[in-house]
Amino acid sequence: MSSQEFDTNKLFPGKFFISTALEVLESKERMTGRLRRRFLQRAAMAGIIIGIFYLINYTIVGAFDSMGDTPDQLHVIGKMIGAATFGWALVFIYYTKSELLTSNMMIVSIGIYYRRITAMKFVRILGFCYLGNIIGGLLIAVLLWGTTLIHGSVLEAMNHSVDVKLGYLSEGVTGWLDLFIRAILCNLMINIAMLLVYNGYLKEDIAKCLAMIVSVFVFAFLDFEHSVANTVLFMMVGLEEGIAVGPALGNLGIVLLGNFVGGGILIGFYYAWVNDERDTHLPSLRRHRDSGRG
């Protein structure tokens, strides 16, 4: 047998992705240890970016909703353009080195699988990240509260979205399951994009940007559920005219769990396991190859 057959880079093509993710994890572990304030600032920036781009998304949707004699058809066009624009949020977060909860779910899950972090550090990283995302989202919500940017058709579009998101809770188990699956699919898409960015195959920045834009477009256009985006939206609408706190918290609880399944388990744990040569017969195959040469 030739050595080509036992090239671990071919048998485990995601090894580069795993090594990159573990390097990223190391920096997050250190920042949430001695540099927590800076980590919170980076996470807050992600919340701010989500808030600004969500505002752009609903401004586009609201503008199309208020035009013409065929609002239903125009709504679809506005939703498509808004989702494509919102896709840039992940690009801005990635290139500003901001910290987003949903992509960190994948990173820490890989770290747990390879025992690079403890359960306590797992919770610490995700906890500080979500806290920072909330702080940033609250800041942008307060700033927008002092403007007329969330008025008229924009507020109507936001209210419609909130009504839909909170409506799942009133539908019983069927609605909860619907919400949960949408959350799984959302973070599956987000972390597929991050997998493409981290795996070393996409060399050009434009290719990385397109991967991130398309993944966010899919989740936004198909109404998947993103925990940080929902948190920021609820705060923006809540400050403008109030929101039902209980259903909002219920939505976030289910979506957080679904996001973790989609990004942490289906991407993080799965790719950590499928690229782990420790539990395969690879060592025996190598010995067989070496004995064949003798």
Side-chain angles (χ1 to χ4, degrees):
M1 295 185 182
S2 67
S3 59
Q4 291 285 337
E5 295 179 70
F6 299 96
D7 184 350
T8 57
N9 290 325
K10 295 183 181 297
L11 293 173
F12 303 96
K15 287 178 65 177
F16 183 83
F17 160 68
I18 297 300
S19 63
T20 302
L22 291 176
E23 288 177 7
V24 171
L25 173 66
E26 185 179 355
S27 67
K28 297 178 189 296
E29 182 186 2
R30 291 182 178 180
M31 290 198 73
T32 54
R34 298 181 179 180
L35 301 170
R36 292 180 181 178
R37 185 172 61 184
R38 287 176 172 79
F39 185 83
L40 283 171
Q41 290 170 338
R42 288 169 62 165
M45 181 55 68
I48 291 171
I49 291 171
I50 290 289
I52 291 173
F53 276 90
Y54 232 14
L55 173 64
I56 297 169
N57 171 60
Y58 287 113
T59 300
I60 293 171
V61 172
F64 276 86
D65 285 349
S66 62
M67 292 191 307
D69 299 324
T70 55
D72 291 340
Q73 296 177 14
L74 289 172
H75 174 78
V76 174
I77 296 173
K79 185 177 178 181
M80 184 180 299
I81 297 174
T85 305
F86 185 55
W88 282 93
L90 188 58
V91 176
F92 277 55
I93 289 170
Y94 175 75
Y95 282 101
T96 58
K97 302 301 181 185
S98 302
E99 297 287 344
L100 184 63
L101 174 69
T102 45
S103 53
N104 274 331
M105 288 176 175
M106 174 189 71
I107 298 296
V108 296
S109 295
I110 293 172
I112 282 287
Y113 178 89
Y114 285 101
R115 299 181 181 179
R116 296 294 183 88
I117 57 171
T118 62
M120 185 64 68
K121 290 181 179 179
F122 174 95
V123 173
R124 186 180 74 189
I125 292 172
L126 292 185
F128 276 108
C129 188
Y130 192 34
L131 176 60
N133 291 165
I134 293 172
I135 292 171
L138 180 59
L139 175 60
I140 197 67
V142 170
L143 292 176
L144 292 174
W145 186 41
T147 73
T148 58
L149 289 168
I150 304 181
H151 278 188
S153 60
V154 181
L155 183 56
E156 289 178 10
M158 286 185 168
N159 275 326
H160 173 72
S161 182
V162 169
D163 290 342
V164 171
K165 293 177 184 298
L166 300 188
Y168 293 113
L169 277 297
S170 63
E171 296 174 5
V173 176
T174 302
W176 303 347
L177 181 61
D178 190 357
L179 182 63
F180 182 63
I181 293 173
R182 288 171 183 267
I184 291 173
L185 295 175
C186 175
N187 213 24
L188 179 71
M189 289 305 306
I190 293 296
N191 285 292
I192 284 176
M194 300 317 298
L195 167 65
L196 294 175
V197 169
Y198 286 144
N199 70 5
Y201 291 113
L202 298 183
K203 304 296 183 182
E204 302 296 331
D205 285 335
I206 186 63
K208 295 178 181 179
C209 290
L210 288 174
M212 290 185 276
I213 291 168
V214 170
S215 71
V216 177
F217 170 81
V218 169
F219 106 63
F221 188 70
L222 295 181
D223 294 323
F224 294 161
E225 296 286 325
H226 189 280
S227 53
V228 177
N230 283 6
T231 301
V232 176
L233 175 63
F234 292 162
M235 288 190 291
M236 290 194 293
V237 172
L239 285 180
E240 287 294 328
E241 54 181 29
I243 192 172
V245 176
L249 292 176
N251 172 283
L252 292 176
I254 295 173
V255 172
L256 281 165
L257 182 58
N259 284 169
F260 179 74
V261 172
I265 296 178
L266 296 184
I267 299 295
F269 278 122
Y270 169 72
Y271 275 92
W273 172 75
V274 82
N275 290 288
D276 185 3
E277 59 184 277
R278 297 174 301 178
D279 63 347
T280 69
H281 296 292
L282 189 58
S284 63
L285 289 175
R286 283 174 175 157
R287 288 194 296 271
H288 178 67
R289 178 197 64 189
D290 294 338
S291 64
R293 285 179 177 175

